[in-house]
Amino acid sequence: MKIFLSSDMEGTTGVVDWGQCRAPSPEYDYYRGLLLAEVNAAIDGAMAAGADDFLVNDSHSTMQNLRPDQLHGDASYLSGRHKPLYMMQGLDPTFDAIFFVSYHGSMSSAASTLSHTYNPRAIADVRLNGTVVGESGINALVALAHGVPVVLITGDRTAAEEATPICPGIETVVVKESVTRFAASSLHPRRARALIRDGAQRALERLHTFRPPAITLPATLTVVFRNGDLAEMACWVRGVERTDDKTVTMTDDDPLRLFRTFITTVVLTRDIAE
Ligand SMILES: [Zn+2]
């Protein structure tokens, strides 16, 4: 059984500030260790359920937050800051299941620690076929393209709740309750790891009940940017249409192409995002 694991960082137990998840800082060095332990807890649980092949795709910031020799399960490690498929780079149809570890809520959620949707300086809100989605829902387009189910998400409660409509039946492990974007009540890391391990095992023991993400095709992404300049620039990408001052839509019957169109708008608008 082969597992694709995409690891972010803002959903790690204890993390409540950008300084804790951005290099260089002593705090970052500490919290990246907690992230590594949560990734390993998910791998441990998967191995207990019979998984034996792992690819960890580092998906946070410059995407080089883990220590390759400390990954459990002899996992392969995909890292580095320029990846065409970003948080889903490396996925293909040979994988049996997908884990999202240390994910966070969307920019438009009521309160989620360090909430954002790909770029907090550019994007205010994203809907997929009308449903508010965070990174989990957008990334699920790639899962659908390859026919692989997303079976586990770990992070704060908002991350868990936002993933559920797109990935029905997904095993959710809540390691912290967000109070605001910069405060959360976290489980003790040891307790969080135990829950992640159990959740990963449980998800794979009922893998036969899962289907690829529930996204009706053709699918539409509606993106509200933080200002009109960003929306105007996003329309430089073919297939992106402006619907009001700050809003654009993109529709495609190919989920992978839709994801790539979205990523292109994210990368393009980075230049003028403040
Ligand atoms: Zn993120």
Side-chain angles (χ1 to χ4, degrees), residues 9-17 20 31 38 102-104 112-114 154-160 173-179 181 183-187 192 195:
M9 187 162 183
E10 292 87 351
T12 300
T13 186
V15 168
V16 291
D17 195 88
Q20 294 170 331
Y31 283 100
E38 292 190 4
S102 190
Y103 270 44
H104 51 82
S112 180
T113 311
L114 303 181
T154 80
D156 78 337
R157 183 167 302 283
T158 306
V173 179
V174 175
V175 303
K176 61 185 172 189
E177 303 283 347
S178 295
V179 178
R181 287 189 80 222
S185 173
S186 294
L187 297 179
L195 292 177

Side-chain angles (χ1 to χ4, degrees), residues 7-82:
S7 60
D8 208 340
M9 187 162 183
E10 292 87 351
T12 300
T13 186
V15 168
V16 291
D17 195 88
W18 297 118
Q20 294 170 331
C21 46
R22 279 182 192 159
S25 94
E27 284 297 285
Y28 166 73
D29 283 339
Y30 169 74
Y31 283 100
R32 76 194 300 190
L34 297 190
L35 168 64
L36 175 70
E38 292 190 4
V39 168
N40 280 336
I43 293 174
D44 290 346
M47 286 197 293
D52 56 0
D53 197 349
F54 299 92
L55 175 63
V56 175
N57 177 35
D58 194 321
S59 303
H60 172 72
S61 188
T62 54
M63 304 186 265
Q64 44 191 305
N65 305 282
L66 302 171
R67 295 289 190 222
D69 64 330
Q70 291 169 25
L71 286 171
H72 289 186
D74 290 339
S76 299
Y77 182 45
L78 205 170
S79 58
R81 67 191 167 83
H82 177 55

Side-chain angles (χ1 to χ4, degrees), residues 19-261:
Q20 294 170 331
C21 46
R22 279 182 192 159
S25 94
E27 284 297 285
Y28 166 73
D29 283 339
Y30 169 74
Y31 283 100
R32 76 194 300 190
L34 297 190
L35 168 64
L36 175 70
E38 292 190 4
V39 168
N40 280 336
I43 293 174
D44 290 346
M47 286 197 293
D52 56 0
D53 197 349
F54 299 92
L55 175 63
V56 175
N57 177 35
D58 194 321
S59 303
H60 172 72
S61 188
T62 54
M63 304 186 265
Q64 44 191 305
N65 305 282
L66 302 171
R67 295 289 190 222
D69 64 330
Q70 291 169 25
L71 286 171
H72 289 186
D74 290 339
S76 299
Y77 182 45
L78 205 170
S79 58
R81 67 191 167 83
H82 177 55
K83 295 186 283 197
L85 292 180
Y86 224 109
M87 303 179 83
M88 299 303 280
Q89 186 70 41
L91 183 68
D92 65 39
T94 66
F95 286 89
D96 296 292
I98 297 167
F99 291 175
F100 291 156
V101 173
S102 190
Y103 270 44
H104 51 82
S106 73
M107 190 62 173
S108 48
S109 59
S112 180
T113 311
L114 303 181
S115 63
H116 61 280
T117 307
Y118 269 88
N119 184 351
R121 294 175 302 120
I123 293 175
D125 182 86
V126 179
R127 284 160 207 262
L128 176 55
N129 290 340
T131 301
V132 171
V133 284
E135 290 164 1
S136 64
I138 297 166
N139 295 346
L141 287 165
V142 184
L144 176 63
H146 293 302
V148 185
V150 185
V151 304
L152 173 75
I153 186 165
T154 80
D156 78 337
R157 183 167 302 283
T158 306
E161 287 175 355
E162 288 182 336
T164 302
I166 307 294
C167 308
I170 189 171
E171 190 78 31
T172 61
V173 179
V174 175
V175 303
K176 61 185 172 189
E177 303 283 347
S178 295
V179 178
T180 64
R181 287 189 80 222
F182 299 102
S185 173
S186 294
L187 297 179
H188 189 283
R190 215 163 31 234
R191 176 103 187 96
R193 288 169 211 158
L195 292 177
I196 292 170
R197 187 196 172 287
D198 292 350
Q201 182 173 353
R202 254 196 324 271
L204 294 183
E205 284 172 351
R206 59 182 181 89
L207 181 58
H208 61 280
T209 66
F210 283 96
R211 296 286 171 274
I215 302 168
T216 305
L217 298 173
T220 298
L221 281 173
T222 306
V223 182
V224 181
F225 285 93
R226 293 183 61 165
N227 64 55
D229 283 7
L230 293 159
E232 191 276 334
M233 192 180 221
C235 294
W236 298 1
V237 182
R238 185 178 304 140
V240 179
E241 288 172 22
R242 199 159 175 184
T243 54
D244 69 31
D245 290 352
K246 292 185 285 190
T247 308
V248 305
T249 65
M250 49 201 96
T251 299
D252 211 311
D253 53 10
D254 176 345
L256 189 60
R257 198 165 52 201
L258 180 58
F259 178 84
R260 296 190 75 137
T261 301

